[in-house]
């Protein structure tokens, strides 16, 4: 058992200056890191250095608003895996700040950038390699726009924006060499779309990693946080949309399930039937909220050889500020009365947009209302679904080796990674990524290459035959 801790973690502070029950929930839900105190319309350049320290010092502060800043850092960090271009991202940042930071300017700027990349580059006729990588970057930028579209002037564009990003992703995949194997794996009444990336087309059996996205990530994030790293090591990598994610959410309108083993089981069935997959060397990773989903699946799916939680998360509901959690009462009627009569009328627009975004993967009515610019009226149902994701009492069932990642200045689930590690009875390791190497914050947005190095070095040591 190893415990690798870096610098001492200092918990982020939370904005509480806003009046009303929700208080600073919007900033915390959107990013959670220490805000600078600026309003969403505040202007800054990509080289702004905030006074004092904080989780994003110096040039890591792209936007004064922590929610926008976190997403911008994800786009910039993806540049190391060619899922972004530093110059493109920083130019977009400066364009947004010059226009005045808002959901509208953010969505417009990144969508325009995605549209441009899906066309031919200026002054040349692109070959397949150029077209391929431009499409991957376009998928990143459409994903950036998608994240904030519910707070923009055109929330009804959400499905269209998702499809634009999916189209860019599919174009990228079609130009890979070899192209990933695509399929629809049976799951209930709505199959799971999958993309199996392989280093080559040889039929020999290889270790395979199943990459699980979080509550609002897109497929391009799985490229950044696993596919390229797996291929570099001669592994297969499986990307998929589960319930509450990607196609299943935005098109098929299928929400998250707390029984994620019923999602992973069919994926393992599909993989083990293939001649190019080693059935004894299948690992499962979970990024962001999937740091809850992947361990849940591993507790019941014994065919997995290893699992990685990035970060470890026992109770996703605790990722919501107490001001939001206090709305939930034992009675649905009482809960929704508080929500509709006391909270919604006083909710600032930015917080309203954030709550719409956070609740849509758990409620189709909430998603459809948000697309019409309306606030959902049933808070109780999606809140109870998030509560049901608690895995505190099941992680002890995990038998396979488990790696738990943690991050300095973790915004959403502070302390939960260590709590998960302590509850595990299987062979286990704990690694904390820190600000000493720029790997702080939830999922190390500025250091995905370091992130992958930690994960895949551990997998290589842990899985049989690797």
């Amino acid at each position: 058992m190893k415990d690798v801790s870096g610098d001492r973690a200092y918990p982020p502070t939370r904005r509480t200056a806003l009046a009303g029950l929700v208080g600073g929930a919007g900033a915390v839900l959107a990013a959670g890191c220490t805000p600078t105190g600026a309003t969403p319309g505040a202007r800054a350049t990509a080289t702004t250095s905030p006074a004092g320290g904080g989780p994003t010092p110096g040039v890591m502060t792209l936007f004064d608003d922590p929610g926008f800043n976190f997403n911008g850092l994800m786009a910039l960090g993806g540049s190391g895996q060619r899922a972004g271009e530093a110059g493109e991202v920083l130019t977009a940042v400066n364009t947004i700040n010059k226009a005045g930071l808002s959901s509208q300017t953010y969505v417009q700027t990144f969508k325009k950038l995605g549209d441009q990349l899906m066309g031919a580059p200026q002054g040349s006729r692109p070959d397949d390699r150029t077209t391929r990588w431009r499409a991957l970057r376009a998928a990143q930028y459409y994903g950036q726009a998608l994240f904030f579209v519910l707070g923009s002037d055109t929330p009804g564009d959400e499905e269209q924006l998702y499809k634009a990003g999916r189209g860019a992703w599919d174009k990228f995949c079609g130009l890979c060499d070899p192209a990933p194997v695509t399929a629809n794996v049976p799951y209930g009444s709505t199959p799971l779309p999958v993309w199996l990336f392989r280093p080559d087309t040889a039929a020999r059996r290889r270790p395979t990693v199943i990459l699980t996205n979080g509550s609002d990530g897109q497929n391009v994030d799985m490229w950044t946080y696993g596919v390229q790293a797996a291929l570099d090591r001669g592994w297969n990598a499986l990307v998929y949309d589960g319930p509450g994610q990607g196609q299943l959410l935005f098109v098929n309108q299928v929400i998250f399930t707390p029984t994620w083993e019923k999602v992973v089981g069919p994926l393992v069935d599909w993989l083990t039937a293939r001649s190019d997959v080693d059935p004894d060397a299948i690992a499962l990773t979970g990024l962001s909220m999937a740091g809850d989903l992947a361990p849940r699946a591993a507790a019941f799916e014994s065919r997995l050889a290893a699992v990685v939680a990035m970060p470890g998360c026992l109770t996703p509901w605790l990722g919501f500020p107490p001001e939001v959690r206090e709305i939930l009462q034992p009675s649905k009627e009482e809960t929704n009365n508080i929500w509709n009569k006391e909270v919604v009328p006083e909710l600032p627009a930015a917080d309203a947009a954030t709550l719409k975004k956070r609740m849509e993967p758990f409620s189709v009515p909430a998603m459809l209302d948000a697309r019409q610019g309306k606030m959902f009226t049933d808070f109780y149902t999606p809140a109870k679904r998030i509560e049901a994701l608690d895995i505190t009492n099941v992680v002890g069932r995990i038998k396979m080796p488990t790696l738990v990642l943690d991050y300095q200045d973790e915004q959403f689930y502070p302390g939960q990674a260590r709590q998960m590690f302590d509850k595990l009875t299987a062979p286990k390791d704990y690694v904390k990524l820190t600000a000493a190497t720029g790997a702080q914050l939830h999922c190390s947005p500025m250091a995905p290459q370091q992130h992958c190095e930690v994960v895949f070095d551990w997998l290589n040591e842990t899985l049989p035959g690797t």
Side-chain angles (χ1 to χ4, degrees):
M1 181 181 75
K2 290 181 292 187
D3 177 349
V4 183
S5 299
D7 296 343
R8 179 185 176 191
Y10 293 91
T13 62
R14 294 185 170 183
R15 183 175 61 188
T16 57
L18 296 176
L21 180 63
V22 175
V28 178
L29 285 166
C33 48
T34 308
T36 63
T39 64
R43 298 188 179 186
T45 67
T47 57
T48 295
S49 297
T56 57
V59 294
M60 294 179 75
T61 297
L62 307 177
F63 301 108
D64 283 340
D65 180 272
F68 288 101
N69 194 63
F70 179 76
N71 280 271
L73 291 178
M74 290 287 288
L76 191 57
S79 300
Q81 303 285 28
R82 303 183 75 171
E85 177 81 294
E88 291 170 348
V89 174
L90 293 177
T91 298
V93 167
N94 285 332
T95 299
I96 293 164
N97 281 322
K98 183 177 180 180
L101 176 60
S102 68
S103 293
Q104 182 68 15
T105 58
Y106 198 97
V107 170
Q108 286 179 331
T109 302
F110 275 105
K111 179 184 181 299
K112 181 179 179 180
L113 187 51
D115 291 343
Q116 289 172 345
L117 287 170
M118 290 302 286
Q122 195 171 26
S124 67
R125 296 179 62 183
D127 60 17
D128 284 351
R129 289 173 181 256
T130 296
T131 301
R132 174 192 178 195
W133 294 113
R134 284 170 67 89
L136 183 66
R137 302 201 309 273
Q140 171 76 260
Y141 304 144
Y142 284 131
Q144 289 290 319
L146 177 65
F147 189 90
F148 290 104
V149 71
L150 293 181
S152 75
D153 295 342
T154 55
D157 288 349
E158 184 179 54
E159 184 176 346
Q160 178 185 346
L161 261 178
Y162 164 73
K163 289 180 176 178
R166 171 65 181 273
W169 169 255
D170 287 339
K171 188 169 189 175
F172 165 75
C173 290
L175 292 171
C176 288
D177 184 18
V181 175
T182 58
N184 289 304
V185 173
Y187 171 76
S189 60
T190 308
L192 310 174
V194 301
W195 296 262
L196 179 64
F197 291 84
R198 304 160 298 160
D200 56 53
T201 57
R204 67 181 181 85
R205 297 189 181 276
R206 300 186 190 85
T208 301
V209 59
I210 303 172
L211 302 168
T212 307
N213 223 328
S215 65
D216 46 45
Q218 301 304 314
N219 292 328
V220 63
D221 299 320
M222 296 297 91
W223 176 268
T224 301
Y225 282 90
V227 176
Q228 182 67 73
L231 296 177
D232 287 346
R233 290 162 174 79
W235 287 44
N236 300 321
L238 185 75
V239 176
Y240 69 101
D241 286 341
Q245 301 171 327
Q247 177 184 312
L248 265 72
L249 175 64
F250 295 114
V251 179
N252 303 127
Q253 300 181 9
V254 179
I255 60 173
F256 271 113
T257 176
T259 54
W260 206 257
E261 66 276 12
K262 296 180 180 178
V263 180
V264 171
L267 299 176
V268 177
D269 291 341
W270 186 79
L271 287 171
T272 54
R274 297 185 57 84
S275 62
D276 53 3
V277 172
D278 182 348
D280 296 322
I282 298 175
L284 177 68
T285 69
L287 184 70
S288 191
M289 198 190 79
D292 168 274
L293 304 176
R296 164 72 198 206
F300 297 94
E301 178 47 76
S302 62
R303 292 173 293 175
L304 296 170
V307 63
V308 185
M310 314 180 306
C313 173
L314 294 172
T315 312
W317 184 229
L318 293 180
F320 288 74
E323 297 90 348
V324 173
R325 287 185 275 119
E326 288 169 5
I327 300 169
L328 184 60
Q329 305 296 313
S331 158
K332 180 177 181 179
E333 181 180 6
E334 183 182 2
T335 297
N336 288 339
N337 276 337
I338 294 171
W339 171 249
N340 290 301
K341 295 179 181 179
E342 300 179 31
V343 179
V344 173
E346 303 297 327
L347 202 59
D351 292 350
T354 300
L355 285 166
K356 290 175 185 177
K357 177 64 180 174
R358 291 300 179 202
M359 290 297 189
E360 70 171 352
F362 305 95
S363 169
V364 171
M367 179 175 69
L368 298 179
D369 282 344
R371 290 178 177 180
Q372 297 178 40
K374 299 187 294 185
M375 177 56 76
F376 55 90
T377 57
D378 181 6
F379 177 90
Y380 180 88
T381 301
K384 293 297 289 184
R385 286 171 177 156
I386 301 169
E387 261 198 334
L389 294 173
D390 190 302
I391 60 170
T392 302
N393 295 325
V394 302
V395 292
R397 296 176 57 113
I398 297 173
K399 302 302 182 186
M400 67 285 298
T402 304
L403 172 62
V404 179
L405 290 192
D406 200 354
Y407 312 99
Q408 184 176 343
D409 294 314
E410 163 64 38
Q411 310 102 287
F412 296 108
Y413 313 120
Q416 292 201 40
R418 188 75 211 195
Q419 292 165 13
M420 175 181 286
F421 179 76
D422 290 342
K423 286 183 174 295
L424 286 166
T425 58
K428 59 185 179 178
D429 294 292
Y430 171 95
V431 177
K432 188 167 197 171
L433 297 168
T434 73
T437 55
Q440 70 270 40
L441 299 179
H442 182 70
C443 298
S444 300
M446 282 294 289
Q449 292 179 84
Q450 287 184 51
H451 196 281
C452 287
E453 289 164 2
V454 169
V455 170
F456 282 89
D457 285 348
W458 181 86
L459 287 174
N460 272 327
E461 292 178 3
T462 303
L463 263 65
T466 58

